[in-house]
Amino acid sequence: MPRPLSATIHTPALANNLAIARKYAPKSKIWAVVKANAYGHGLARAFPGLRATDGFGLLDLEEAAKLRELGWAGPILLLEGFFRPTDIDVIDRYSLTTAVHCDEQLRMLEMARLSKPVNIQLKMNSGMNRLGYTPERFRAAWERARACQGIGQITLMTHFSDADSERGIAHQLEAFERGAEGIAGARSLSNSAAVMWHPSAHFDWVRPGIMLYGASPSGVTADIAGTGLKPAMTLSSELIAVQTVQPGQSIGYGSTYRAGQAMRIGVVACGYADGYPRVAPEGTPVIVDGVMTKLVGRVSMDMLTVDLTPCQNAGIGSRVELWGTNLPIDDVARSCGTIGYELMCAIAQRVPVRAE
Ligand SMILES: *Cc1c(COP(=O)(O)O)cnc(C)c1O
Protein backbone atom coordinates (compact mmCIF):
# COMPACT_ATOMS: atom_id res chain seq x y z
CA MET A 1 0.00 0.00 0.00
CA PRO A 2 1.25 3.50 -0.74
CA ARG A 3 1.40 5.96 2.16
CA PRO A 4 -2.05 7.37 2.88
CA LEU A 5 -0.92 10.92 1.99
CA SER A 6 -2.33 12.44 -1.19
CA ALA A 7 -3.33 15.71 -2.77
CA THR A 8 -6.68 15.96 -4.52
CA ILE A 9 -7.27 18.58 -7.19
CA HIS A 10 -10.88 19.70 -7.38
CA THR A 11 -11.63 20.33 -11.05
CA PRO A 12 -15.08 21.88 -10.40
CA ALA A 13 -13.48 24.31 -7.93
CA LEU A 14 -11.03 25.50 -10.61
CA ALA A 15 -13.90 26.03 -13.06
CA ASN A 16 -15.91 27.82 -10.36
CA ASN A 17 -13.00 30.12 -9.50
CA LEU A 18 -12.38 30.99 -13.14
CA ALA A 19 -16.07 31.87 -13.51
CA ILE A 20 -15.75 34.11 -10.45
CA ALA A 21 -12.73 35.87 -11.96
CA ARG A 22 -14.89 36.53 -15.03
CA LYS A 23 -17.65 37.97 -12.86
CA TYR A 24 -15.19 40.38 -11.30
CA ALA A 25 -13.79 41.47 -14.67
CA PRO A 26 -16.63 40.83 -17.12
CA LYS A 27 -15.24 43.05 -19.89
CA SER A 28 -11.69 41.69 -19.77
CA LYS A 29 -10.13 38.64 -21.32
CA ILE A 30 -8.37 36.31 -18.92
CA TRP A 31 -4.86 34.96 -18.84
CA ALA A 32 -5.24 32.09 -16.37
CA VAL A 33 -1.84 31.99 -14.68
CA VAL A 34 -0.53 28.42 -14.46
CA LYS A 35 3.16 29.05 -13.78
CA ALA A 36 5.05 26.78 -11.37
CA ASN A 37 3.18 23.71 -12.58
CA ALA A 38 -0.17 25.44 -12.01
CA TYR A 39 0.85 26.61 -8.53
CA GLY A 40 1.72 23.03 -7.62
CA HIS A 41 -1.60 21.58 -8.80
CA GLY A 42 -0.07 20.05 -11.94
CA LEU A 43 -0.54 21.63 -15.35
CA ALA A 44 -2.25 18.62 -16.90
CA ARG A 45 -4.54 18.22 -13.89
CA ALA A 46 -5.46 21.92 -13.73
CA PHE A 47 -6.04 22.27 -17.47
CA PRO A 48 -9.51 20.66 -17.67
CA GLY A 49 -10.84 22.96 -14.94
CA LEU A 50 -9.43 26.09 -16.55
CA ARG A 51 -9.97 25.47 -20.23
CA ALA A 52 -12.76 28.08 -20.44
CA THR A 53 -10.07 30.77 -20.10
CA ASP A 54 -9.00 33.02 -22.99
CA GLY A 55 -5.32 32.28 -22.56
CA PHE A 56 -2.77 30.79 -20.20
CA GLY A 57 0.15 32.61 -18.59
CA LEU A 58 3.26 30.73 -17.48
CA LEU A 59 7.06 30.90 -17.46
CA ASP A 60 8.65 27.72 -18.77
CA LEU A 61 8.92 26.90 -22.44
CA GLU A 62 8.46 23.25 -21.49
CA GLU A 63 5.18 24.00 -19.76
CA ALA A 64 4.05 25.95 -22.82
CA ALA A 65 4.84 22.98 -25.04
CA LYS A 66 2.96 20.70 -22.65
CA LEU A 67 -0.13 22.90 -22.92
CA ARG A 68 -0.02 22.56 -26.69
CA GLU A 69 0.28 18.77 -26.29
CA LEU A 70 -2.79 18.86 -24.06
CA GLY A 71 -4.64 20.34 -27.01
CA TRP A 72 -4.67 24.04 -26.08
CA ALA A 73 -4.63 26.00 -29.34
CA GLY A 74 -5.35 29.43 -27.81
CA PRO A 75 -2.97 32.12 -26.57
CA ILE A 76 -0.10 31.28 -24.22
CA LEU A 77 1.85 34.10 -22.59
CA LEU A 78 5.41 33.81 -21.32
CA LEU A 79 5.18 36.09 -18.27
CA GLU A 80 8.95 36.55 -17.91
CA GLY A 81 9.75 36.58 -21.59
CA PHE A 82 12.69 34.58 -22.92
CA PHE A 83 16.37 34.31 -22.17
CA ARG A 84 18.28 33.14 -25.24
CA PRO A 85 17.91 33.46 -29.03
CA THR A 86 17.14 29.73 -29.28
CA ASP A 87 14.07 30.30 -27.07
CA ILE A 88 12.61 32.33 -29.93
CA ASP A 89 12.53 29.22 -32.12
CA VAL A 90 10.27 27.58 -29.53
CA ILE A 91 8.13 30.71 -29.29
CA ASP A 92 7.73 30.61 -33.07
CA ARG A 93 7.04 26.88 -33.24
CA TYR A 94 4.34 26.96 -30.56
CA SER A 95 2.95 30.41 -31.46
CA LEU A 96 3.56 31.83 -27.99
CA THR A 97 3.02 35.41 -26.87
CA THR A 98 5.94 36.73 -24.88
CA ALA A 99 6.60 39.48 -22.40
CA VAL A 100 9.40 41.80 -23.48
CA HIS A 101 10.94 43.73 -20.63
CA CYS A 102 14.38 44.84 -21.82
CA ASP A 103 16.40 45.91 -24.85
CA GLU A 104 18.31 42.61 -24.92
CA GLN A 105 15.05 40.82 -25.68
CA LEU A 106 14.13 43.36 -28.35
CA ARG A 107 17.55 42.90 -29.94
CA MET A 108 17.12 39.12 -30.02
CA LEU A 109 13.73 39.55 -31.71
CA GLU A 110 15.24 41.92 -34.26
CA MET A 111 17.87 39.32 -35.15
CA ALA A 112 15.49 36.34 -35.14
CA ARG A 113 14.36 34.40 -38.20
CA LEU A 114 10.68 33.74 -37.72
CA SER A 115 7.94 32.02 -39.67
CA LYS A 116 5.46 34.71 -38.54
CA PRO A 117 5.47 37.78 -36.29
CA VAL A 118 5.46 37.22 -32.53
CA ASN A 119 2.82 38.93 -30.38
CA ILE A 120 4.39 40.60 -27.37
CA GLN A 121 3.40 42.19 -24.08
CA LEU A 122 5.73 45.12 -23.61
CA LYS A 123 6.36 45.41 -19.93
CA MET A 124 6.55 48.65 -18.04
CA ASN A 125 8.21 48.96 -14.65
CA SER A 126 5.61 51.17 -13.00
CA GLY A 127 7.08 50.85 -9.52
CA MET A 128 7.69 47.18 -8.73
CA ASN A 129 11.32 47.58 -9.84
CA ARG A 130 11.70 44.01 -10.96
CA LEU A 131 11.15 43.81 -14.71
CA GLY A 132 10.31 46.32 -17.40
CA TYR A 133 10.98 49.71 -18.93
CA THR A 134 10.52 52.82 -16.82
CA PRO A 135 7.64 55.10 -17.86
CA GLU A 136 10.22 57.52 -19.29
CA ARG A 137 11.77 54.89 -21.57
CA PHE A 138 8.55 53.09 -22.47
CA ARG A 139 7.61 55.00 -25.58
CA ALA A 140 11.04 54.55 -27.14
CA ALA A 141 10.84 50.81 -26.45
CA TRP A 142 7.36 50.68 -27.99
CA GLU A 143 8.55 52.52 -31.10
CA ARG A 144 11.47 50.17 -31.47
CA ALA A 145 9.14 47.17 -31.07
CA ARG A 146 6.72 48.59 -33.61
CA ALA A 147 9.51 48.98 -36.13
CA CYS A 148 10.61 45.36 -35.68
CA GLN A 149 9.47 43.09 -38.53
CA GLY A 150 9.33 40.08 -36.25
CA ILE A 151 6.88 41.64 -33.81
CA GLY A 152 3.12 41.49 -34.35
CA GLN A 153 0.60 42.83 -31.84
CA ILE A 154 1.96 44.82 -28.92
CA THR A 155 0.02 44.74 -25.64
CA LEU A 156 1.05 47.10 -22.84
CA MET A 157 1.72 45.31 -19.57
CA THR A 158 2.66 46.10 -16.01
CA HIS A 159 2.52 44.31 -12.66
CA PHE A 160 1.43 45.57 -9.21
CA SER A 161 3.41 45.27 -6.00
CA ASP A 162 0.65 46.22 -3.53
CA ALA A 163 -2.71 45.38 -5.07
CA ASP A 164 -3.44 43.24 -1.98
CA SER A 165 -2.34 45.71 0.65
CA GLU A 166 -2.75 49.17 2.03
CA ARG A 167 -0.50 51.04 -0.37
CA GLY A 168 -2.71 50.00 -3.27
CA ILE A 169 -2.13 50.65 -6.96
CA ALA A 170 -2.77 54.38 -7.48
CA HIS A 171 0.91 55.31 -7.72
CA GLN A 172 1.58 52.54 -10.26
CA LEU A 173 -1.56 53.26 -12.26
CA GLU A 174 -0.47 56.88 -12.49
CA ALA A 175 3.02 55.86 -13.65
CA PHE A 176 1.53 53.44 -16.17
CA GLU A 177 -0.86 56.01 -17.62
CA ARG A 178 1.98 58.50 -17.89
CA GLY A 179 4.31 56.08 -19.68
CA ALA A 180 1.59 54.66 -21.94
CA GLU A 181 -0.03 57.98 -22.83
CA GLY A 182 -1.03 58.16 -26.45
CA ILE A 183 0.12 54.62 -27.20
CA ALA A 184 -2.51 52.43 -28.83
CA GLY A 185 -2.87 48.79 -27.92
CA ALA A 186 -4.51 46.50 -25.41
CA ARG A 187 -3.59 46.76 -21.73
CA SER A 188 -2.78 43.95 -19.29
CA LEU A 189 -2.28 44.93 -15.65
CA SER A 190 -4.20 43.00 -13.02
CA ASN A 191 -3.17 40.04 -10.88
CA SER A 192 -5.79 38.35 -8.66
CA ALA A 193 -5.73 41.09 -6.03
CA ALA A 194 -6.40 43.75 -8.66
CA VAL A 195 -9.08 41.58 -10.30
CA MET A 196 -10.93 41.45 -6.97
CA TRP A 197 -10.13 44.77 -5.40
CA HIS A 198 -9.17 47.27 -8.13
CA PRO A 199 -11.70 47.31 -10.98
CA SER A 200 -10.15 50.51 -12.33
CA ALA A 201 -7.16 48.41 -13.44
CA HIS A 202 -9.01 45.70 -15.37
CA PHE A 203 -8.67 46.99 -18.94
CA ASP A 204 -8.42 44.45 -21.80
CA TRP A 205 -6.69 41.46 -20.22
CA VAL A 206 -6.43 40.40 -16.56
CA ARG A 207 -3.94 37.86 -15.18
CA PRO A 208 -5.41 36.05 -12.17
CA GLY A 209 -3.39 33.27 -10.58
CA ILE A 210 -3.93 32.55 -6.90
CA MET A 211 -7.69 33.19 -6.93
CA LEU A 212 -8.12 30.39 -9.47
CA TYR A 213 -6.72 28.01 -6.88
CA GLY A 214 -9.13 29.30 -4.24
CA ALA A 215 -6.63 31.05 -1.98
CA SER A 216 -6.29 34.67 -0.95
CA PRO A 217 -3.94 37.12 -2.70
CA SER A 218 -3.22 38.69 0.69
CA GLY A 219 -2.69 35.37 2.44
CA VAL A 220 -5.61 36.20 4.74
CA THR A 221 -8.59 33.88 4.47
CA ALA A 222 -11.03 36.51 5.74
CA ASP A 223 -10.18 38.69 2.74
CA ILE A 224 -11.84 36.21 0.37
CA ALA A 225 -14.80 35.37 2.62
CA GLY A 226 -18.06 35.64 0.70
CA THR A 227 -16.38 35.66 -2.73
CA GLY A 228 -17.42 32.09 -3.53
CA LEU A 229 -13.83 31.06 -4.28
CA LYS A 230 -13.26 27.39 -3.43
CA PRO A 231 -10.01 25.64 -2.52
CA ALA A 232 -8.75 23.70 -5.54
CA MET A 233 -6.40 21.42 -3.61
CA THR A 234 -6.90 19.25 -0.54
CA LEU A 235 -3.86 17.70 1.09
CA SER A 236 -5.00 14.77 3.18
CA SER A 237 -3.54 11.81 5.00
CA GLU A 238 -4.31 9.45 7.87
CA LEU A 239 -3.22 8.73 11.40
CA ILE A 240 -0.68 5.92 11.27
CA ALA A 241 -0.12 5.67 15.05
CA VAL A 242 -1.55 6.96 18.32
CA GLN A 243 0.54 7.55 21.45
CA THR A 244 -0.63 8.26 24.98
CA VAL A 245 1.89 10.48 26.75
CA GLN A 246 2.11 11.26 30.45
CA PRO A 247 2.55 14.71 32.01
CA GLY A 248 6.08 15.96 31.38
CA GLN A 249 6.78 13.61 28.47
CA SER A 250 7.97 15.20 25.26
CA ILE A 251 7.09 14.63 21.62
CA GLY A 252 9.42 14.39 18.65
CA TYR A 253 12.81 15.85 17.74
CA GLY A 254 14.22 18.45 20.07
CA SER A 255 11.50 17.73 22.65
CA THR A 256 9.90 21.03 21.67
CA TYR A 257 6.49 20.03 23.10
CA ARG A 258 5.97 18.70 26.62
CA ALA A 259 2.60 17.32 27.67
CA GLY A 260 1.03 19.25 30.53
CA GLN A 261 -1.27 16.35 31.29
CA ALA A 262 -1.88 12.84 30.02
CA MET A 263 -2.96 13.16 26.40
CA ARG A 264 -3.33 11.27 23.15
CA ILE A 265 -1.04 12.20 20.26
CA GLY A 266 -1.78 11.28 16.66
CA VAL A 267 1.02 10.56 14.22
CA VAL A 268 0.23 11.70 10.67
CA ALA A 269 1.89 10.42 7.50
CA CYS A 270 3.05 13.79 6.19
CA GLY A 271 6.33 15.61 6.75
CA TYR A 272 8.56 18.29 5.37
CA ALA A 273 9.76 15.98 2.59
CA ASP A 274 6.15 16.13 1.36
CA GLY A 275 6.15 19.91 1.32
CA TYR A 276 4.56 20.50 4.72
CA PRO A 277 6.68 23.28 6.24
CA ARG A 278 9.08 22.23 8.98
CA VAL A 279 8.75 25.71 10.47
CA ALA A 280 5.07 25.05 11.29
CA PRO A 281 4.82 25.88 15.00
CA GLU A 282 2.74 24.30 17.73
CA GLY A 283 -0.85 25.38 17.24
CA THR A 284 -0.89 25.18 13.45
CA PRO A 285 -4.42 24.00 12.57
CA VAL A 286 -5.04 20.43 11.40
CA ILE A 287 -8.35 18.61 10.98
CA VAL A 288 -8.47 15.04 12.30
CA ASP A 289 -11.54 12.89 11.90
CA GLY A 290 -13.52 16.02 11.01
CA VAL A 291 -12.47 17.89 14.17
CA MET A 292 -10.20 20.95 14.23
CA THR A 293 -7.10 20.41 16.32
CA LYS A 294 -3.47 21.50 16.30
CA LEU A 295 0.02 20.46 15.48
CA VAL A 296 2.28 19.69 18.45
CA GLY A 297 6.00 18.96 18.38
CA ARG A 298 8.38 19.43 15.48
CA VAL A 299 7.44 18.39 11.93
CA SER A 300 9.81 15.62 10.86
CA MET A 301 10.72 14.46 7.36
CA ASP A 302 7.90 11.97 6.91
CA MET A 303 5.59 12.51 9.88
CA LEU A 304 4.01 15.14 12.02
CA THR A 305 2.18 14.91 15.34
CA VAL A 306 -1.16 16.32 16.44
CA ASP A 307 -3.07 16.79 19.67
CA LEU A 308 -5.99 14.31 19.77
CA THR A 309 -7.57 15.84 22.89
CA PRO A 310 -10.60 17.21 20.99
CA CYS A 311 -10.76 14.16 18.68
CA GLN A 312 -12.24 11.54 20.99
CA ASN A 313 -13.09 9.04 18.26
CA ALA A 314 -9.87 9.31 16.29
CA GLY A 315 -7.62 6.30 15.89
CA ILE A 316 -5.28 4.69 13.39
CA GLY A 317 -6.72 5.21 9.92
CA SER A 318 -8.63 8.38 10.82
CA ARG A 319 -8.65 10.92 8.02
CA VAL A 320 -6.46 13.99 8.40
CA GLU A 321 -6.85 17.18 6.38
CA LEU A 322 -3.64 19.24 6.30
CA TRP A 323 -5.31 21.92 4.18
CA GLY A 324 -8.07 22.12 1.60
CA THR A 325 -11.85 22.19 1.41
CA ASN A 326 -12.41 22.44 5.18
CA LEU A 327 -9.14 24.07 6.24
CA PRO A 328 -8.07 27.12 4.20
CA ILE A 329 -4.45 26.81 3.08
CA ASP A 330 -3.89 30.45 4.09
CA ASP A 331 -4.71 29.60 7.73
CA VAL A 332 -1.97 26.98 7.76
CA ALA A 333 0.39 29.29 5.88
CA ARG A 334 -0.25 32.19 8.22
CA SER A 335 0.65 30.06 11.22
CA CYS A 336 3.94 29.31 9.41
CA GLY A 337 4.63 32.96 8.59
CA THR A 338 3.98 32.61 4.88
CA ILE A 339 1.14 32.65 2.33
CA GLY A 340 -0.88 29.90 0.65
CA TYR A 341 1.02 30.43 -2.62
CA GLU A 342 4.22 29.04 -1.11
CA LEU A 343 2.63 25.95 0.41
CA MET A 344 0.77 24.90 -2.72
CA CYS A 345 3.82 25.40 -4.93
CA ALA A 346 5.97 23.35 -2.55
CA ILE A 347 4.00 20.09 -2.71
CA ALA A 348 6.73 17.49 -3.18
CA GLN A 349 7.12 15.23 -6.17
CA ARG A 350 6.56 12.14 -4.02
CA VAL A 351 3.01 13.16 -3.04
CA PRO A 352 0.50 11.32 -5.21
CA VAL A 353 -1.88 13.81 -6.81
CA ARG A 354 -5.21 12.97 -8.34
CA ALA A 355 -7.88 15.10 -9.89
CA GLU A 356 -11.59 14.71 -9.27
C1 LIG B 1 2.24 35.33 -11.01
C2 LIG B 1 1.81 36.46 -11.84
C3 LIG B 1 0.46 36.82 -11.90
C4 LIG B 1 -0.60 36.17 -11.03
O1 LIG B 1 -0.50 36.65 -9.72
P1 LIG B 1 -1.56 36.20 -8.59
O2 LIG B 1 -1.18 37.03 -7.42
O3 LIG B 1 -1.29 34.75 -8.34
O4 LIG B 1 -2.90 36.44 -9.13
C5 LIG B 1 0.10 37.84 -12.76
N1 LIG B 1 1.03 38.47 -13.52
C6 LIG B 1 2.33 38.16 -13.47
C7 LIG B 1 3.30 38.89 -14.32
C8 LIG B 1 2.78 37.15 -12.64
O5 LIG B 1 4.07 36.85 -12.60
Side-chain angles (χ1 to χ4, degrees):
M1 267 250 306
R3 291 166 78 222
L5 176 68
S6 68
T8 305
I9 307 307
H10 311 296
T11 306
L14 290 166
N16 169 77
N17 298 342
L18 178 64
I20 288 173
R22 270 208 200 285
K23 266 195 202 150
Y24 274 102
K27 298 195 180 116
S28 309
K29 289 204 232 176
I30 295 181
W31 293 112
V33 178
V34 291
K35 62 190 177 189
N37 200 24
Y39 290 46
H41 294 62
L43 191 57
R45 282 180 296 263
F47 176 65
L50 297 175
R51 67 184 315 156
T53 186
D54 302 295
F56 285 99
L58 42 66
L59 269 75
D60 288 354
L61 291 170
E62 275 178 23
E63 289 188 342
K66 197 166 161 189
L67 263 182
R68 290 286 182 241
E69 281 160 27
L70 289 167
W72 177 253
I76 299 176
L77 168 62
L78 296 173
L79 292 160
E80 235 174 41
F82 53 93
F83 310 97
R84 276 169 285 278
T86 49
D87 296 342
I88 299 176
D89 302 337
V90 184
I91 288 173
D92 189 35
R93 181 167 352 122
Y94 292 106
S95 305
L96 310 179
T97 300
T98 180
V100 169
H101 62 77
C102 62
D103 282 343
E104 287 70 16
Q105 290 177 330
L106 276 180
R107 198 177 52 78
M108 285 189 260
L109 282 169
E110 286 164 351
M111 311 286 281
R113 299 162 116 240
L114 295 155
S115 69
K116 58 190 174 306
V118 176
N119 293 336
I120 68 163
Q121 304 231 337
L122 192 64
K123 187 153 189 183
M124 191 196 298
N125 169 16
S126 58
M128 179 87 154
N129 290 312
R130 224 171 41 173
L131 299 180
Y133 293 93
T134 59
E136 293 68 34
R137 293 190 53 225
F138 194 73
R139 175 169 272 280
W142 178 75
E143 276 168 5
R144 182 171 170 183
R146 205 171 50 145
C148 174
Q149 298 280 317
I151 293 178
Q153 286 171 10
I154 307 172
T155 297
L156 316 187
M157 173 188 188
T158 196
H159 191 55
F160 297 127
S161 58
D162 294 75
D164 61 322
S165 60
E166 209 164 298
R167 190 174 183 201
I169 64 164
H171 63 294
Q172 284 189 263
L173 210 47
E174 183 277 321
F176 180 81
E177 298 287 6
R178 179 158 40 84
E181 198 184 340
I183 301 180
R187 267 90 168 135
S188 165
L189 283 73
S190 292
N191 55 5
S192 296
V195 167
M196 286 196 276
W197 301 321
H198 299 286
S200 65
H202 287 173
F203 296 99
D204 307 279
W205 284 88
V206 294
R207 304 188 307 268
I210 195 71
M211 70 182 294
L212 302 178
Y213 307 99
S216 171
S218 63
V220 176
T221 302
D223 290 346
I224 57 165
T227 59
L229 293 173
K230 293 183 180 150
M233 175 199 289
T234 297
L235 182 65
S236 60
S237 187
E238 291 177 6
L239 293 186
I240 57 167
V242 175
Q243 303 294 337
T244 301
V245 294
Q246 299 307 318
Q249 286 190 318
S250 63
I251 294 152
Y253 288 119
S255 302
T256 56
Y257 184 79
R258 266 181 207 284
Q261 68 275 311
M263 64 190 289
R264 292 199 319 142
I265 297 294
V267 181
V268 182
C270 179
Y272 62 78
D274 300 303
Y276 194 96
R278 182 177 176 279
V279 294
E282 178 195 335
T284 300
V286 183
I287 294 178
V288 179
D289 194 29
V291 179
M292 186 71 79
T293 184
K294 61 173 189 173
L295 185 85
V296 290
R298 207 174 261 168
V299 174
S300 42
M301 188 183 289
D302 313 305
M303 285 173 265
L304 56 80
T305 40
V306 295
D307 179 3
L308 293 184
T309 308
C311 316
Q312 292 300 321
N313 302 320
I316 290 179
S318 288
R319 185 174 183 274
V320 177
E321 181 170 326
L322 284 322
W323 62 67
T325 304
N326 304 297
L327 176 52
I329 193 168
D330 288 307
D331 291 356
V332 179
R334 201 166 172 73
S335 175
C336 302
T338 184
I339 52 178
Y341 291 76
E342 187 177 1
L343 298 192
M344 58 178 75
C345 290
I347 283 284
Q349 199 83 52
R350 78 176 190 182
V351 178
V353 187
R354 61 189 180 84
E356 67 171 27

